[in-house]
Amino acid sequence: MRYSWKGYWGAASAAIGILLLGLFVIAHAMPPGVSWSKAAAFAILTMGCASLGFVAYRYADEVMLQTHKTAWFWGSLGAVVAMVPAMIVLSWHLVPFPLLPARLDHPQIYFVLGMECLLVAQLMGFLAVGAYRRWLG
């Protein structure tokens, strides 16, 4: 296994760029609501980002792999622990949050909000633990 900074971070950066561009296109260029075209776009987007993730993994060295495993473990664990109070605060409107829908009367909204919040919280935890281990630890 050989480490390549350009190969590792280049593929990861490309995956993030493709994901953001794809989500922008899905949100703004496709018709609102549920459709097969959106499902297909999400599937293609997921496979493309996963493929780039596999390429990035190939170029990572052992230290980077261990750091990522530790950061994902602690970041995800912190996100799971923080999700229950966060969802209570958001769903009961205890803190004004402008992006939250005014009506939360559909189970689908709870599901989507839960998945989005969990993914964002995991990413924030991963970045925080990864930055700590990289620069302070």
Side-chain angles (χ1 to χ4, degrees), residues 61-111:
D61 63 351
E62 193 62 32
V63 173
M64 187 174 288
L65 293 176
Q66 289 301 324
T67 301
H68 274 44
K69 286 181 205 175
T70 302
W72 274 118
F73 173 76
W74 288 109
S76 296
L77 185 64
V80 169
V81 168
M83 279 311 299
V84 173
M87 289 311 295
I88 289 171
V89 166
L90 290 177
S91 63
W92 289 354
H93 297 285
L94 298 176
V95 175
F97 191 68
L99 299 177
L100 193 64
R103 295 181 58 201
L104 294 173
D105 55 355
H106 296 293
Q108 298 90 344
I109 294 175
Y110 281 108
F111 176 76

